[in-house]
Amino acid sequence: MTTAPKTQNIPETTVHSVITTVKGLVSVMSREIELLRAMKIKEMSELQEQKLVLVNAYEQGSSQLKKDPSFMQHLDPLLKEELRDVIQLLNTTVTENETALLAAKTSNERLMQAVVEAVQEQKIKSSTSYSQTGVLAAQKAQTAQATTPMHLNQCL
């Protein structure tokens, strides 16, 4: 008879643990979103270890709960509601985090492309080598910039 309350308490304890873990994960991810929006990428590395620990704990807790889903029928309704609420909050935060990560990635890619183009342009301008046609590369770049396209109307 003492084993029945113990088995009922294990899922409830696990639910409390999952709720606490999810709240911590949401907090870390929210901070990560703030850092991404502020483009403070280097500071995010401090959060990665903490985030990894929380993700592993969440996976462990949720896998324990999935082993016996029937316990949800006997779970306190307030606890069940709190679990649903934090999972919904986690899903929303994950979506926001993904959006912020993609925005930061796109921004970094644009920046890198601008740097590459500026370096290539500077390299062409300051080049003292000859092109395949025998013209200095720097003169060719200047000529290309100075040339304006023209179309003559040949109808008379």
Side-chain angles (χ1 to χ4, degrees):
M1 202 171 217
T2 56
T3 55
K6 274 187 178 179
T7 55
Q8 284 182 339
N9 287 340
I10 290 173
E12 192 168 305
T13 303
T14 305
V15 169
H16 283 291
S17 176
V18 167
I19 288 171
T20 302
T21 301
V22 169
K23 287 179 180 180
L25 191 54
V26 166
S27 175
V28 168
M29 291 178 78
S30 295
R31 177 70 180 133
E32 186 177 61
I33 291 167
E34 290 172 16
L35 292 173
L36 282 167
R37 289 182 179 154
M39 294 305 288
K40 296 181 179 180
I41 308 300
K42 287 184 180 180
E43 293 177 26
M44 284 179 42
S45 63
E46 299 168 7
L47 297 176
Q48 294 308 309
E49 187 176 329
Q50 188 178 2
K51 184 177 171 183
L52 185 60
V53 168
L54 290 167
V55 166
N56 288 335
Y58 172 70
E59 286 177 353
Q60 234 178 5
S62 61
S63 69
Q64 285 178 343
L65 294 176
K66 288 177 184 175
K67 286 179 184 175
D68 183 22
S70 65
F71 81 91
M72 287 292 280
Q73 297 170 357
H74 308 290
L75 195 63
D76 178 31
L78 293 175
L79 191 57
K80 194 185 298 188
E81 185 178 343
E82 185 178 4
L83 180 62
R84 282 190 192 125
D85 290 347
V86 296
I87 297 298
Q88 185 176 1
L89 179 61
L90 177 63
N91 291 335
T92 301
T93 306
V94 165
T95 302
E96 287 178 30
N97 189 275
E98 180 182 17
T99 302
L101 281 168
L102 288 174
K105 178 182 176 227
T106 302
S107 177
N108 280 334
E109 287 173 350
R110 286 183 189 153
L111 177 64
M112 290 305 297
Q113 185 62 36
V115 168
V116 167
E117 288 172 4
V119 167
Q120 287 175 340
E121 186 177 312
Q122 187 61 36
K123 186 177 178 183
I124 290 171
K125 285 182 182 178
S126 64
S127 176
T128 57
S129 64
Y130 288 97
S131 70
Q132 290 178 343
T133 60
V135 178
L136 280 175
Q139 288 176 346
K140 188 177 181 181
Q142 289 173 354
T143 305
Q145 290 176 352
T147 307
T148 54
M150 182 187 287
H151 180 73
L152 297 175
N153 186 354
Q154 296 178 355
C155 297
L156 293 175

